[in-house]
Amino acid sequence: MMTPKERERLRELAKTQLEIANSEKNQKRTKMWIAHNSCKGERPMIHLEIDNFTQEVLFPQMQCQDPMARRIEERLLHNFYNMQVLDDDKVVAPYFGVWWDLDLKPWGVEVKKEVASDGGLGQHFTEQVQELGEEIDKFRPSEFKIKVDETNEYFKAAEDAFGDILPVKHVGKSLTCWLTQDLVHIMGMQNMCYALYDYPDEFVQVLNQLADDYLKFFEEWRDSGLLYPTAGYEECNQGSICLTDELPSEGPVDLNQIWLHMDSQETINVSQEMFESMVWDSYKKVADRFGLVSFGCCDPLERLWPCLSQLKNLRKASISPWTDEAYMGEVLAGKKIIYQRKPSPNYLGVSEVLDEDAWRDHITTTLKYAKDCTVELTIRDVYTIHNNVDKAKRCVEIMKECIADNWNA
């Protein structure tokens, strides 16, 4: 149970968030994100995602012990850390947003995985399907549900603690649909790749089945009245922000009025022809139903561009470290699609000392290739900054300097 001291701690953090949210700097950057997401911004936007090294930057600040209080405390700190410390372009909401927790079991299968015993990042998904054609009966209707009670418990705890200071509201963030990832989680990568060749008809069948299951779930979610707008400060996935004036900011909303994120990293070694004939249709049937789409994570998108270019609602394209920057700069030039560059995390996360010259060259190269695009720079997948916040801050400073020196110069 939350103690009076913990409650007071949360109230102080809520006051801090509201103060930062109402600051002139935050309001200015909010307007910049809205313009940027409509491809009308004046410069590239920057975000250094801290999610994978919160143990270094947030945990040392945390004081609460009660599990619920601690969960809320971490979210509050997370909400304004970037604005307060790193000074990138991450913005702060004038409310405490709560989105629905989900329980997803694609094809009705409970995903099983093992994690590294040494506390590392390694994980292995148990292969529950070996031969797709011989085990097709394992692919039952998916079991998807919103965890209403659990989410409302979290909502009420936050509202009771500081709702009179910082409004607590149900919000929406981009929905997600990662079809091939779901398949790998129950088959393993090798079995999935073999299935593409050995059981092509069955592969198409189960992927389309899952796409239909997701759409049915999304429609039921909509019909329940619990599908909230995704035009605010919430996550558009992949380290980006939903802020837009092109989608409704008040609910209820339909699927064609919200953001969706998709990717297909697991087909990185699949030929363009095989992807188009066996994978793409299931993705497109989902993507076509939404208002705006963000696509990609670590996928090399130049391979997928013949398919992705068919989407009329594609707004953000992930330009990962494995993507041909120059090619994507050419095909996205002048289009209303954001070139969301993911610089290599190695510069910040591997070496204890930031190689400033190499980092500067890395960012400048992106700005050169994407000079005719709307650019977003999102640093992701950094698992440690070696407890050196100054290194992270310097990383952001150099990005700003590169933009000042090279953007539209």
Side-chain angles (χ1 to χ4, degrees), residues 82-353:
N82 286 64
M83 175 72 76
Q84 190 178 56
V85 178
L86 300 178
D87 197 28
D88 59 1
D89 292 320
K90 180 79 182 295
V91 282
V92 180
Y95 53 80
F96 186 82
V98 177
W99 47 84
W100 295 113
D101 288 332
L102 304 177
D103 184 11
L104 306 179
K105 293 181 183 177
W107 299 288
V109 179
E110 184 84 50
V111 173
K112 301 176 182 178
K113 69 177 181 179
E114 303 171 70
V115 297
S117 59
D118 61 358
L121 300 171
Q123 55 185 357
H124 173 260
F125 291 93
T126 302
E127 299 167 353
Q128 300 181 64
V129 176
Q130 305 287 335
E131 297 287 342
L132 180 59
E134 298 174 12
E135 301 174 80
I136 196 74
D137 60 316
K138 292 184 177 179
F139 292 84
R140 303 181 302 276
S142 300
E143 298 173 13
F144 297 155
K145 69 176 182 179
I146 301 172
K147 299 166 73 171
V148 175
D149 292 342
E150 295 89 334
T151 305
N152 284 337
E153 181 184 4
Y154 176 65
F155 184 100
K156 188 176 187 305
E159 189 172 51
D160 289 347
F162 54 77
D164 58 323
I165 299 172
L166 181 68
V168 180
K169 59 182 288 190
H170 282 293
V171 295
K173 59 178 180 177
S174 66
L175 301 193
T176 58
C177 185
W178 307 320
L179 302 174
T180 53
Q181 181 181 119
D182 289 334
L183 191 56
V184 164
H185 283 176
I186 65 169
M187 288 192 71
M189 182 70 78
Q190 181 169 285
N191 289 334
M192 187 200 77
C193 289
Y194 279 137
L196 280 159
Y197 184 82
D198 293 335
Y199 306 105
D201 293 340
E202 290 84 352
F203 186 95
V204 172
Q205 175 186 329
V206 299
L207 218 57
N208 272 297
Q209 175 190 339
L210 184 59
D212 290 339
D213 285 351
Y214 268 108
L215 285 173
K216 180 182 177 183
F217 172 57
F218 294 153
E219 289 164 356
E220 291 173 349
W221 191 347
R222 173 202 61 198
D223 294 343
S224 72
L226 300 179
L227 187 60
Y228 297 116
T230 63
Y233 291 81
E234 285 64 53
E235 299 174 9
C236 187
N237 215 274
Q238 295 300 300
S240 193
I241 296 169
C242 287
L243 280 164
T244 180
D245 58 6
E246 295 183 51
L247 300 173
S249 58
E250 299 295 333
V253 291
D254 204 343
L255 301 185
N256 63 359
Q257 297 175 311
I258 59 177
W259 282 94
L260 171 73
H261 178 262
M262 306 187 86
D263 67 44
S264 185
Q265 303 175 86
E266 300 71 28
T267 55
I268 186 172
N269 292 320
V270 174
S271 71
Q272 179 179 314
E273 294 75 19
M274 183 175 279
F275 181 86
E276 186 163 5
S277 64
M278 298 180 62
V279 179
W280 177 241
D281 284 350
S282 59
Y283 272 80
K284 189 174 187 298
K285 77 160 71 173
V286 178
D288 282 345
R289 295 289 303 279
F290 283 78
L292 295 173
V293 173
S294 169
F295 196 100
C297 182
C298 296
D299 332 31
L301 289 198
E302 68 275 4
R303 248 188 353 96
L304 307 184
W305 184 246
C307 292
L308 291 178
S309 62
Q310 300 170 23
L311 298 181
K312 305 303 182 185
N313 52 357
L314 179 64
R315 183 55 57 86
K316 299 200 182 205
S318 171
I319 314 301
S320 75
W322 297 275
T323 297
D324 186 332
E325 285 190 85
Y327 176 82
M328 292 305 297
E330 290 178 4
V331 299
L332 295 182
K335 289 186 171 60
K336 198 173 181 180
I337 301 172
I338 294 168
Y339 184 108
Q340 190 188 0
R341 173 61 172 162
K342 315 285 186 53
S344 171
N346 294 348
Y347 294 92
L348 181 58
V350 173
S351 175
E352 293 189 16
V353 178

Side-chain angles (χ1 to χ4, degrees), residues 6-71:
E6 289 173 328
R7 182 174 181 273
E8 187 57 35
R9 164 66 172 167
L10 298 184
R11 293 177 66 80
E12 288 302 317
L13 292 177
K15 290 176 186 177
T16 299
Q17 176 172 330
L18 186 61
E19 180 181 347
I20 294 174
N22 290 331
S23 69
E24 183 178 349
K25 177 193 287 188
N26 189 63
Q27 292 178 10
K28 179 180 178 181
R29 287 185 181 169
T30 297
K31 293 177 182 177
M32 290 174 67
W33 271 106
I34 293 173
H36 167 78
N37 282 340
S38 292
C39 297
K40 298 176 182 177
E42 297 181 358
R43 64 159 177 84
M45 301 298 282
I46 300 170
H47 177 210
L48 169 52
E49 188 179 75
I50 68 169
D51 296 44
N52 291 319
F53 56 91
T54 54
Q55 73 281 359
E56 295 182 13
V57 296
L58 299 187
F59 287 9
Q61 300 181 54
M62 295 177 66
Q63 300 174 17
C64 297
Q65 298 300 318
D66 173 74
M68 181 64 78
R70 191 169 178 82
R71 179 183 173 190

Side-chain angles (χ1 to χ4, degrees), residues 363-388:
I363 300 302
T364 300
T365 296
T366 291
L367 298 177
K368 177 183 71 174
Y369 286 138
K371 61 184 178 64
D372 297 318
C373 305
T374 298
V375 177
E376 189 171 325
L377 297 167
T378 311
I379 311 174
R380 304 191 73 235
D381 301 317
V382 176
Y383 289 89
T384 178
I385 56 172
H386 303 95
N387 293 294
N388 185 349

